[in-house]
Amino acid sequence: ADKDNRCFEHIDKVIEMIGVQGCSTRQFQRRMSRPGKLHAKQTQDGLLDAIGYQTVPRTVDPSRMVKSLDQLYASAAAVNAVVLDHLGRWALKSRGMFPCDSGSGDGRVVYRYWKDVAGSANERLVRWSCLKKHSRAMEKMTRSLSDDPSRLLDLCRHAIVLDSPHDVAVCLGQVAIDQEVRIERIKNRMSLSYDSSVTAGYRDVVINYR
């Protein structure tokens, strides 16, 4: 228990260093529309190059915000493959797991370490999360986002399942030092100060990044 508490405290310190904990939705939107630091070279990503789309890491062009939900889904579908590559890297370093089909034909889901399935025949059994359903996206955009699709930030979403608070801290550190992503917001429900009764005992760490 003491070791877990130290890990919880370490997670808090890492998030504090990143400087995004407690960021409100309004502050988050301002962060997302703020240009990032320019890099000398553009990304060399085969998928994005193939569709004629180039980006500069950690930057956003506020004059070219997404105008339609169709445009947003097209972008999310392309970016999803890039996100999966990052997830695999982070999971390898932190003993991360993903839900997989049991392979027995009974539809059961089991959790396997990515290090055990990556590059093997069992990789096809991983049940990756799909993009947010269109109906849910439209509902959220209409009810909470003033019909502005550029404010819908979770079409592409995935989860890494971890065994212990220590592994959570390691995984968070891997995301933080990844030079190809920029963390914009973190919801830390693993904090000792978080009242888990609000979520019926459920705890996690949610990260928005680009």
Side-chain angles (χ1 to χ4, degrees):
D2 288 341
K3 181 179 179 181
D4 286 347
N5 285 342
R6 288 196 297 270
C7 289
F8 290 140
E9 293 170 355
H10 178 64
I11 292 170
D12 278 334
K13 290 179 181 178
V14 171
I15 295 174
E16 184 179 352
M17 289 173 60
I18 296 171
V20 293
Q21 187 174 25
C23 178
S24 68
T25 301
R26 187 177 297 276
Q27 290 171 325
F28 183 36
Q29 294 297 333
R30 284 201 295 266
R31 285 177 60 87
M32 289 298 291
S33 63
R34 186 179 64 212
K37 182 179 179 181
L38 292 174
H39 289 236
K41 295 183 179 180
Q42 293 180 316
T43 55
Q44 299 297 316
D45 186 274
L47 177 62
L48 297 181
D49 289 343
I51 62 175
Y53 186 80
Q54 293 182 318
T55 62
V56 178
R58 304 190 181 200
T59 66
V60 63
D61 184 353
S63 67
R64 299 178 60 192
M65 305 302 285
V66 173
K67 300 296 184 181
S68 75
L69 200 56
D70 288 341
Q71 180 186 0
L72 190 63
Y73 268 97
S75 299
V79 168
N80 193 52
V82 181
V83 172
L84 290 178
D85 180 62
H86 283 279
L87 283 176
R89 284 188 251 163
W90 301 334
L92 280 177
K93 296 288 188 178
S94 60
R95 301 177 66 251
M97 296 179 285
F98 296 107
C100 301
D101 188 274
S102 65
S104 59
D106 57 6
R108 287 188 303 111
V109 175
V110 296
Y111 286 86
R112 292 194 170 100
Y113 292 105
W114 180 240
K115 64 180 179 62
D116 294 335
V117 299
S120 72
N122 287 330
E123 188 172 333
R124 63 181 177 80
L125 299 177
V126 178
R127 293 191 176 185
W128 300 112
S129 300
C130 59
L131 298 182
K132 182 187 285 289
K133 291 183 179 180
H134 288 74
S135 58
R136 174 58 184 140
M138 293 179 66
E139 178 183 284
K140 185 174 182 179
M141 188 174 67
T142 302
R143 290 183 176 180
S144 307
L145 306 177
S146 303
D147 291 324
D148 182 357
S150 70
R151 297 175 60 192
L152 193 58
L153 307 173
D154 61 346
L155 287 192
C156 179
R157 67 269 174 89
H158 293 277
I160 300 176
V161 180
L162 300 152
D163 268 333
S164 67
H166 174 265
D167 292 340
V168 174
V170 172
C171 189
L172 179 59
Q174 289 300 311
V175 180
I177 65 174
D178 192 325
Q179 294 299 305
E180 296 179 1
V181 304
R182 173 175 171 174
I183 296 176
E184 296 290 351
R185 178 172 64 175
I186 298 177
K187 292 182 181 179
N188 180 21
R189 298 189 184 99
M190 301 290 286
S191 174
L192 294 175
S193 63
Y194 176 73
D195 181 7
S196 62
S197 65
V198 176
T199 49
Y202 177 78
R203 290 178 179 270
D204 63 7
V205 178
V206 179
I207 304 173
N208 288 98
Y209 65 88
R210 56 180 166 97

